[in-house]
Every structure is written in C-alpha cells, then in structure tokens.
Amino acid sequence: MATIHGKSGSTQYLLKGMKPINGKHFSTLAEMQHFYTHYEEILAETETTAARKQDEKILALSQEVTQLDKELQEGLTRQTVDVDKNIEELNRKITDAAGFLSRIGYRVQHGFAVALRDHHIHSPYAGLSRQLRNVRNERTNLINNRDFAIKWECNNVVNSYNFLKTNEPFLIGAYGEEVVIGSLSHLPDEYHVINDVNLRFSPAIRWKETGEYIQSCQIDHIVVGPTGIFLLETKNWKSSNLEMNADVLVHQVRRSSYALWYYTGDYYRYYERPKVLNVVISLHGVNSGRKMDKYMDIITPGQIYDYIQRQRYPALSDEIVKKFVKIVERQETCHSKY
C-alpha cells in the first residue's frame, strides 16, 4: 500500500472547529458525519449523560464527606479523652504535691493545659479538618453549578452542529477527499500520497501567465511514485457546476501547479525539475475521461489506480521520489526572489 502523509485538509479544518462531546474529541470524518446525522439523539443523550455524571460526582463527594466526618469525630473524641485525662492528672499532682514550688509548677502546667485544651484536641486533626472542608466546598460548588455544567455540555453539541451546518460544503468536500485518499492508498508501496499541502511565499510570487501574485496555495493531494508526480484536485460538483465553473477550476489547478513548480525550484536545476501532471478527480464522474485543458485530465476515484499506473513518462527512481516527498513535506515558507 502507498505511504499516506497527512489528512484531508477539509477534515482537519472541521476537526479543529469541533467541540469535545462528553469529554471526547472527534478524530475522524466518520465520527463527524455520524454526529451530524444523529444530532438530536446525541443532544438528548448528552443532557442525560451530563446530568448523570454530575449526580455521580455529587454522590461520591457526599459519601467522602460522611467518611471524613466520621473519621474526624472519632479522632476528636479519642483526643478529647486523652487531653482531659492529662488535665485531671495535673490537677491531682497539684493536690498531692509535697512542696510549695512543686505545687506552683504543676499549677502553671495545669493552667497552660486548660488554656490550650481546644488546640491540643484539634491540632492533630487540622489536616483532616481542612480536607473535609475542601470536599464540602467542592460538593457545594458542584451542586450550585450542576445546571450550568449540563448546559455547557449541551452547548458543545449545539455549537458543533451549527459549525458543521455552516461549513456543510467542507463536510461534502471532506467526504470526497477521504474517498480519494482511500483509493490512493491502494497504490503500490513505492508511491507516496501527500495530503493538504499548503505552500506559502514571502514576498508573494508573480505568476507571469496571469500577472497575479501568489502568497499562499493549498493543494488537496500530491502523489509521487515511479510513474510520475500528480497534483490532484478533488471536486464533488454536479455537471452544471463543473461546466459553469470550468474556467475557475482550470485557473485554480494551474495556479497550484505553478506554485508547486516554483516552490521546488531551490532544490533542482531549472531543467531538472520533475514534471507534474494536473488531474481533477470528479466524485460524481462528471465529464470523466475528458480534458479540462490540454494538460489537465478529469477522472473518477475508481479510475485513479489505473490512471496513475499506466502513465508512460520516464520512470522516477526511488531516490528522486523520496527527495521530492521530503521537499514537499517541509512546507516551509518559500522566500521568493522577486
């Protein structure tokens, strides 16, 4: 199987915008699609789950309070007996003292013991008392904030759904890109698939063909292997959209191709840069088999494997393939000469 580098750009964008649901972060497109289609069920389940979790935490803290309070009361009872026994013993010594000075000494000790009685009883359990107080405060805060915590979890669900609803085109695009990545993964081991390539230029480079300046460029997929280098743009468009936006699509792909050609320039001599084939992947199979322009084919995901395998350009060595992959994977900002 081909080596896959990175994820679908649309998938990554959506994953970054999703909120954790019940403490769990989304990690795949399939999870987001399931969430999107089962939103109301998940919202109701989240409210129930969040309420149960809060009640379980409150119950656990209540049990801890009961246990700590029991330990504290038992300890204080034992300590009270010991302290009072010591005071009684000092009082007895005052009565039994043979000399005046001895009696005075015991009286002083007795006075201190009485004055510090509460301190001597409670000081050994100061840590336990503090722990009990902290747990009680924590339980109180949980009780007071229970409804807010439940609402917070539900808001994560609502906000995530609204985010997907607003970005539905990305959801559709992510599905297409994942289908393409799945098809590309079946290529032989010698191939590499680099997803979501983002090229940046500082300052912007001038594309002489159109006169426009390019500061950044995003490419859905680049395939590198023995049969060549392929720049792939995935489109989930209907036939009418494809025809209507054909010029825009051609411009987009050629712009990306030029940016990639320029980006790799520092690593090759001018005439040694590997040739890049531009391909549009039509998820609906619209106009499959035709050319968008002289150097741009349209194929379906099901045709990708055979299309890439049958190319007749001079074979690329394993060394050339690995070098190109390493260059593109860096995705550093290219400092142009203009």
Side-chain angles (χ1 to χ4, degrees):
M1 295 182 69
T3 301
I4 307 297
H5 304 261
K7 293 183 178 180
S8 151
S10 296
T11 299
Q12 290 187 77
Y13 169 76
L14 294 173
L15 288 173
K16 288 178 182 178
M18 298 294 286
K19 303 291 184 181
I21 306 300
N22 292 322
K24 181 182 177 183
H25 290 269
F26 290 88
S27 59
T28 66
L29 174 63
E31 290 176 346
M32 290 188 289
Q33 289 174 321
H34 178 269
F35 168 82
Y36 193 56
T37 55
H38 297 82
Y39 161 66
E40 293 190 2
E41 300 169 34
I42 292 173
L43 179 59
E45 181 183 339
T46 297
E47 184 175 8
T48 301
T49 301
R52 186 182 69 249
K53 285 183 177 180
Q54 291 301 308
D55 291 341
E56 288 174 351
K57 289 179 181 179
I58 292 170
L59 177 60
L61 289 173
S62 296
Q63 292 173 340
E64 188 175 356
V65 165
T66 300
Q67 180 61 33
L68 290 173
D69 187 59
K70 180 181 178 182
E71 291 178 21
L72 179 61
Q73 295 309 318
E74 290 177 349
L76 290 175
T77 298
R78 290 193 300 269
Q79 188 68 6
T80 299
V81 171
D82 291 342
V83 170
D84 286 346
K85 186 183 294 184
N86 181 58
I87 292 173
E88 289 176 10
E89 179 64 18
L90 288 172
N91 192 49
R92 185 187 63 76
K93 286 181 178 181
I94 292 171
T95 303
D96 296 343
F100 176 76
L101 292 178
S102 297
R103 188 177 298 112
I104 293 298
Y106 287 133
R107 283 186 182 279
V108 171
Q109 292 181 46
H110 180 270
F112 275 113
V114 171
L116 296 174
R117 178 177 179 273
D118 286 347
H119 173 74
H120 289 152
I121 291 173
H122 290 93
S123 61
Y125 296 93
L128 185 59
S129 295
R130 186 164 51 252
Q131 183 181 358
L132 175 60
R133 184 166 59 252
N134 290 340
V135 174
R136 277 176 171 160
N137 289 339
E138 186 179 355
R139 181 185 62 178
T140 299
N141 288 335
L142 275 177
I143 293 172
N144 292 339
N145 293 313
R146 178 182 180 276
D147 291 344
F148 176 80
I150 296 170
K151 185 177 180 180
W152 178 273
E153 291 293 342
C154 291
N155 282 343
N156 281 346
V157 176
V158 174
N159 291 338
S160 292
Y161 176 79
N162 289 338
F163 171 75
L164 289 179
K165 187 72 175 176
T166 302
N167 292 279
E168 204 168 52
F170 279 94
L171 196 60
I172 296 171
Y175 170 75
E177 290 172 11
E178 295 283 357
V179 168
V180 170
I181 293 171
S183 298
L184 293 171
S185 68
H186 295 295
L187 288 167
D189 296 346
E190 298 82 9
Y191 286 85
H192 293 257
V193 180
I194 311 173
N195 300 301
D196 189 33
V197 177
N198 291 278
L199 307 179
R200 293 169 294 277
F201 304 93
S202 178
I205 61 173
R206 184 173 182 270
W207 184 17
K208 295 180 181 179
E209 183 176 324
T210 63
E212 68 179 282
Y213 285 86
I214 303 173
Q215 190 164 23
S216 63
C217 172
Q218 189 274 339
I219 301 171
D220 289 344
H221 323 277
I222 296 176
V223 177
V224 190
T227 57
I229 300 170
F230 304 84
L231 185 154
L232 306 180
E233 178 68 28
T234 300
K235 291 300 179 189
N236 198 1
W237 290 356
K238 297 178 181 178
S239 179
S240 57
N241 290 335
L242 191 62
E243 292 296 335
M244 185 183 305
N245 297 290
D247 291 342
V248 174
L249 180 55
V250 168
H251 175 271
Q252 176 188 350
V253 175
R254 292 183 64 178
R255 178 181 184 275
S256 297
S257 187
Y258 175 78
L260 180 61
W261 177 85
Y262 188 99
Y263 182 83
T264 58
D266 287 343
Y267 304 93
Y268 299 96
R269 293 178 181 175
Y270 187 84
Y271 293 104
E272 290 181 347
R273 276 183 260 194
K275 182 179 178 63
V276 177
L277 297 178
N278 301 323
V279 184
V280 173
I281 309 297
S282 174
L283 213 65
H284 288 291
V286 176
N287 295 323
S288 173
R290 61 163 278 192
K291 288 182 177 291
M292 293 294 293
D293 72 357
K294 185 177 179 181
Y295 303 107
M296 194 182 307
D297 293 321
I298 303 180
I299 61 175
T300 67
Q303 295 170 326
I304 291 176
Y305 185 94
D306 290 337
Y307 177 87
I308 291 177
Q309 288 282 74
R310 73 167 182 260
Q311 295 303 317
R312 293 293 181 265
Y313 288 98
L316 300 183
S317 67
D318 186 57
E319 181 182 354
I320 292 176
V321 169
K322 289 182 177 178
K323 177 181 178 180
F324 192 89
V325 171
K326 188 176 181 180
I327 291 170
V328 175
E329 273 209 305
R330 288 173 182 164
Q331 296 187 38
E332 300 170 341
T333 298
C334 176
H335 297 287
S336 65
K337 302 165 187 173
Y338 295 108

